[in-house]
C-alpha cells in the first residue's frame, strides 16, 4: 500500500445518484444482477437513515483515524465517505466532530468498516452512518493510509466515484460506469413490483403469479397429506 | 431430505395460542420447564412487534427462497411461518412482497433462521419478523426444500402446528399437545409474579422473599467486611 | 474463587460520579488516557438510556443468577450493578422483577456480561441495562459466586466502588481514586471540543485546525491526481 | 423439559452402523439427501479420529456436567454419546475421567455441543471427541437435565438410537429407521465416485463427464476472451 | 454480476511466482507495503501445506459449486484456484473429486471463501486448501456465477493472473504488475532478517538494534520501579 | 493508561512455578476454585506445546507491536510474556524474530490476545505461543502502551509476577501470593484423580463412585422405559 491521496477523481453524475437513492438498496442490488452489496454486519447506527452519494474512499489503519481527516478535504457536496481498514477493527474512528466537518462540506453520510461513536449526537444532527460497531474507543493519528484508492469495505471492492446507496437494509455500491444502466433497470423493476404487490395483496399466490408449479414439480417436489399419528 | 409438502397439518387451537401469546416469551419458556426457546441471535427486525401463531414450517436452501413461496399456500389465518435453512445463511430471503402475500392470508408473523429485507416497509405494514440478519441480498428460486416437515430453527426443533410466541425477548415454541398445560402453568406463574413485583417494589429483598439465606449459607457463601487498603 | 460477599465497600463520591456522567462515555474514556472502556459487544437493551453510578460487583455462574439476588442487598442509592460471569453465557439472568428490586433501592442501572430479558418492561420502567444479549432463557439458583470482588466484565477489570458511566456509545469504568482527576480532565476536553466544533462547522478543515499537514508529509503521504483511465 | 432418563432405547443394528461408518460423513450425508449434518463449528479435538455408533443422548445445563455422568450408565458397547446443552456454552464438560468410564463401557466416541478438556490425554487414549470448544473450564453438578430424549446438537435433532458417523469432515446423524436405506445408497455412491475419480485423474473434465455444458449455456453462461487492457 | 467466463487471461510469470513462493506470506505481505493479505479466518485444512501460483478466479453462489467445475477448465499448470462467494457460506463446495481434477491439470492449490470437505483425502493427496470452514455439507449445481472476473475473497480483491502465496500463516495476493518489484523487495528483506536473527540470538535487544530508545522516550514512555506493596 | 514500564517486579518462586506446570491447566484451574482461566478462543499456534512461567505483562495498541519490543528487556529466564491489547485485534504482532530474542533471554513462552505469525518457524524452534489468531498481518511501531501493569488478557486480569500455566487445554493464571497454596491443592487433586481413574477403568460408574444417585433423585430426576412407538 502506498500512502497516497488521489485528487480530482471522476464522480458518477448527481442525477443518477438521486435516481438510485430513490430506489433503495434492495432494488438497486437486484437491478445490478444481485451484486454490489456489502456484508450485513454493517448496520445503521440509528434506524431510519438513508443516504445516496458518490464515494470518496479512505483506507485507514486499525485504531487510527488520521486518514479520515485527510479524506474530508477531498469531499464535495453529494459525496459519501467510505472507510475501509487494513485489518478488522471496531474502534470508534468517527464521531460528531468529524461529522460536523463532513456536514459543512455537504457530505451525505459515512460508511465505515470499523466503529463509530457519539451515536446520540449523530442522530440529533441527522447524519447517517453505517458501521461494523458502536464503540467509544478512541484512536490515534500515527500512521498514514490512503485516500481515493480502491478499498474493500465489508466485502465489496469500492472505487472512488462509485455510487453508494444505504438504508435500513444495508449498503450497496454501483460502479460509476454502470450507474445509469442500473438506475434504468431498477426503475423498471420497481414499477413491476408495484403491480405484483397489488396482485398478491388481493390473495393471488406467488406460486401462480410467478408460474412456479410446473418447475417445482419438475424439480421433484411432491405433495402429501399429513400421516396419521399423535 | 425429501422434497415434500405436507398438507392438512393439525394445528394447536386458536384459544390456547391466544392465551400463550398474552403471556409473552419469558413466561411461556419458564412455564414450559425452561425449554423451547430459540437462540438469542434471532432478533426482531423492528422493535416492539409481538406475535403468536401456529407453525407452518419451511426448510429452505441457502440463498434460495423458493420454498417460502410454496409455504405461503399452506398458511391459514392465525399461522406463523417458521423458516429453517439447510445451512447457515444470512441472505434476504424474505421481503415486503412475501409479507403482503402472507398478510393477505391472515398470517401473523415470520420466524426465519436467515436474513430479511425491506425492513422499513415491514415496519410500516406492521408485519413482525424475527430473523438472524437484515440483508438486502437477493435469492434464487432453484432448489426445492420441504414444507411442514420438522425443522430445526435457531436451535429448536419445530413441528408443524406447534405454537410459536415471539416478542422483544425472543421466540419460544410449544408442542401442540403441551400447549394447554403450558398456558395454564404460565397463567399461574404470571399471577404469582404480580404479587412478587409488589413485594419487591416495597423494598423487601428477594433474599428474604425467596428464603435464600439458609441455602446460600449451606452452599458455603460467607460475608466479610472490606479489608482496609488503598 | 471464594464464595464471598464483601460488605461496606468504599465508593467514589456522588459529586464526581455526577460530573463524569454529564461528560458521557467517549469523553470520560479519552480523559482517562483512552482506557477503562468495555468491549463494544455490550449494548443497551433499549436506546437512549444513560446511567452513571458506583459499582457493586457480582461474579455469577453461567445460567445461574443466584448471586444477583445476593448482590441486590449490597446496593445503595446511586449504585450501578456490574455482573461478570465465570464463563461466556447469554442467558436471561436479569429481568423486570430484579429491576423492580434494584429500583426500590435507588440503583441507577445494570451492566451484565450475559443476557437480559423483559426488555419491554425495562423500557417502560425506564431502567437502563447494558448486556451482551437479549434472551428469555431462564436461569437456576444453584451455585454461589461472589459479590464485591474485582470482576472482569466485557474486558475491563472492575473493582467495587469504581465509577461506571454508560450511554449509547458503551460503558466506561474509572477507578475510584482516579475519578476526580478524570472528571477535571474531561471537563477541560469538553470545553475544548465545543470550540473545535464551531470551527469545523464554519468549514475549516481538521487538517488545518490540528496542523496535520506537516506531520503527514513527514510520514510519507503524497498527493497525486487521478491517472487517466476508464 | 422434564428431568428424565429413558432406559432401554431401541438402537440401530450394529451391522448397518459399521457400514455407515465405513462410508464416512460426506458420503453418508449425500446419500441421506444432503441432510443430517451437524454445523461445522463442531470439530474433532484431535485430528484423524473416526467413530460410528448408536446415539445415547444427553441434555445438559450450561456449566454443569451432571447429566453426562447419568448418561454413562445408559451406554452399551458400540454407542456414541451425544450431548446437547440447554444454551450456548463452551465449558470443559468432558475430560479424561469420563472418557475412561465410557471406554470401560465400550463407547466409541463423544459428540458435545459445548467444551472438552484433557485433549492430550484423550489423544493418547485414542478416544475421539467432537466439540464446540476446547476449554479447561470446570463445571458443577447441580441441576438435572435429561438422558435419551431428543436433543438438538449443533443444529441437528438427534433421537436416541440414531446412527452417528463422525470424522475429520464433521458429524452426521441418520435416523434409525433410515439407516439401512442410507447405507445402501451410500455404498452405491461410493462405487460411482471411484469410477469418477479415475476418469477425472485421466484429465477428463467434470464439465464433460457430468454433461454440464448444455445446462450452463441454458442458464445463461457465456464465454469471452479477456479484453485488452493494462 | 454477469454470468461470464473470461478465457485467455494474462498470468504473472512462473519465475516470479516461484521467487515469491520461496519468501512465504509474511515476507511477501511486508514487502508489498503490508497489503494484499486475506483475513485470518481463512485457514489451511491441513497443517504444513504451502502453495504459490497464478490466480484463476471463481465467483460462486452460496451452497452451489457449479462454477468451480467451470473454473477447472480455465486452469493451467502452475495456477491456483481462488473461489469467492456472493454471500457468506460454509458449505463443503470442494472435495477430493475436484482436487483430483485440479491435480490432473497441474493446479497447485485452492483458496476458498467457503467450506471444504474430504480433508483426510486431500492431506493424503498432498493437495493444499485454505478455506473458511471444514464441512461435509453437499452443494447443488443450479445457478451460474462467473470465472476470471475480479472477486473479493476473504477481504482481498483478487484479479485473474495475480500471484497468490499461501502457507501456515495465511494467504497473500500480489498484483501481476507488482510481482517482480515485490519479489525483489522481499528478497532484500529476507536477507536483512537473517542478519537480525543472528544479532538477536546473541542477546542484543531489539530496543538497541532498532534504535528505539530515543523515539520511545519522545513518545512519552517512562520507566519506574515497582512500588512497594503486597 | 499511562505509558510506563515497571521494572524489578516481584515474581513467584521458580519451584512453585515448576510444580504448577507439572499439574497442567485443568488441574490448576480446579485447584484454584475454578478460576483464573483465560477464554477458550486463545489457542496454541502449534499442538502439544506446554509452558509455565512468571508473567511479564505488556499492554499493546491494535496493529502496533512496539511495546512487545520494550517488554523483552524486562524478561528474565523462566518468564512468560503476556500481551493484552487495548482493543480487539488479530494482527500478527509476534513472529520468529521476537521469539529468537525471547529465547535468548530464557523466556519459556508467549500468551497474546491478538495474532501471531511465522508459525512454522515457531514450531521448529519449539517456542510455544497461545494466541487469538494466526495472521501474517504486519504491525507498526508508533504508539506506546505499558509494560508490567495489570492487563486483561482473554478475560483474565493478569498481574506482573503471576504464574501462568499453558497447554493444549488453554491458559490459566494464578496470583503470586496464591501459588503455593494452589500447587498443594492441585497435587492432592491429581493424586485423588489417579485413584478415580483406576476405579472408573474397572467399570465402576461415576454415579456410584461419586454417590450421585440420592442427590439426583432429590433434585427430581426420574427413570422411565422408552414408550412403545415407531
Amino acid at each position: 500500500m502506498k500512502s497516497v491521496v488521489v485528487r480530482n477523481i471522476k464522480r458518477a453524475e448527481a442525477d443518477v445518484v438521486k435516481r438510485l437513492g430513490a430506489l433503495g438498496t434492495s432494488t438497486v442490488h437486484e437491478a445490478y444482477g444481485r451484486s454490489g452489496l456489502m456484508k450485513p454486519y454493517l448496520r445503521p447506527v440509528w434506524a431510519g437513515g438513508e443516504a445516496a452519494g458518490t464515494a470518496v474512499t479512505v483506507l485507514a489503519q486499525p485504531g487510527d483515524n488520521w486518514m479520515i481527516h485527510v479524506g474530508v478535504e477531498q469531499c464535495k457536496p453529494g459525496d459519501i465517505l467510505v472507510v475501509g481498514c487494513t485489518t478488522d477493527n471496531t474502534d470508534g474512528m468517527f464521531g460528531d466532530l468529524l461529522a460536523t466537518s463532513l456536514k459543512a462540506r455537504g457530505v451525505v453520510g459515512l460508511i465505515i468498516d470499523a466503529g463509530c461513536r457519539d451515536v446520540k449526537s449523530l442522530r440529533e444532527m441527522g447524519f447517517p452512518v453505517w458501521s461494523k460497531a458502536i464503540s467509544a474507543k478512541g484512536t490515534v493519528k500515527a500512521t498514514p493510509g490512503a485516500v481515493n484508492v480502491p478499498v474493500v469495505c465489508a466485502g465489496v471492492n469500492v472505487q472512488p466515484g462509485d455510487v453508494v446507496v444505504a438504508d435500513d437494509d444495508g449498503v450497496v455500491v454501483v460502479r460509476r460506469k454502470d450507474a445509469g444502466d442500473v438506475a434504468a433497470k431498477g426503475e423498471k423493476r420497481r414499477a413491476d413490483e408495484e403491480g405484483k404487490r397489488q396482485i398478491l395483496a388481493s390473495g393471488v399466490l406467488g406460486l401462480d403469479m410467478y408460474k412456479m408449479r410446473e418447475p417445482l414439480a419438475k424439480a421433484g417436489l411432491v405433495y402429501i397429506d399429513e400421516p396419521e399419528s399423535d
Side-chain angles (χ1 to χ4, degrees), chain A:
Chain A
M1 187 195 61
K2 285 174 195 142
S3 291
V4 73
V5 180
V6 178
R7 290 178 299 205
N8 306 318
I9 59 167
K10 292 184 193 69
R11 287 165 166 87
E13 294 189 7
D15 174 64
V16 76
V17 173
K18 195 176 169 186
R19 288 166 60 201
L20 288 166
L23 293 169
T25 55
S26 292
T27 300
V28 169
H29 159 69
E30 289 281 353
Y32 201 19
R34 287 186 191 134
S35 65
L37 193 73
M38 291 191 184
K39 296 207 178 197
Y41 66 71
L42 226 61
R43 295 297 304 145
V45 301
W46 49 270
E50 296 180 348
T54 37
V56 167
T57 64
V58 169
L59 182 57
Q61 307 284 356
D64 188 320
N65 74 348
W66 214 9
M67 268 316 100
I68 300 182
H69 289 274
V70 176
V72 171
E73 188 180 27
Q74 304 306 316
C75 290
K76 296 187 175 173
D79 281 343
I80 195 163
L81 198 63
V82 177
V83 181
C85 192
T86 58
T87 192
D88 285 343
N89 184 256
T90 59
D91 295 349
M93 289 192 186
F94 184 90
D96 60 5
L97 285 185
L98 275 164
T100 300
S101 200
L102 285 178
K103 253 199 136 170
R105 297 186 78 79
V107 174
V108 299
L110 174 84
I111 313 295
I112 183 165
D113 200 352
C116 171
R117 65 184 188 182
D118 300 331
V119 165
K120 190 184 172 188
S121 298
L122 294 172
R123 187 171 43 216
E124 288 167 358
M125 292 169 67
F127 189 84
V129 173
W130 288 256
S131 75
K132 182 172 159 179
I134 292 170
S135 171
K137 183 72 180 63
T139 50
V140 298
K141 293 162 194 15
T143 311
V147 172
N148 280 334
V149 299
V151 298
V152 173
C153 179
V156 173
N157 189 41
V158 186
Q159 302 194 357
D162 283 350
V163 184
V164 179
V165 178
D167 56 26
D168 280 352
D169 286 355
V171 183
V172 67
V173 180
V174 179
R175 287 276 172 279
R176 180 167 58 89
K177 67 178 170 53
D178 299 330
D181 181 45
V182 173
K185 283 183 183 159
E187 285 156 356
K188 184 171 177 323
R189 183 181 171 90
R190 185 177 50 183
D192 288 354
E193 286 211 339
E194 192 41 46
K196 287 178 188 165
R197 185 172 290 110
Q198 292 176 17
I199 293 169
L200 293 170
S202 76
V204 173
L205 287 168
L207 282 178
D208 296 312
M209 188 178 77
Y210 297 112
K211 299 187 193 310
M212 289 172 173
R213 292 189 192 275
E214 195 185 352
L216 279 163
K218 266 193 192 164
L221 187 72
V222 295
Y223 287 76
I224 62 171
D225 285 322
E226 189 174 37
E228 284 302 310
S229 78
D230 201 21

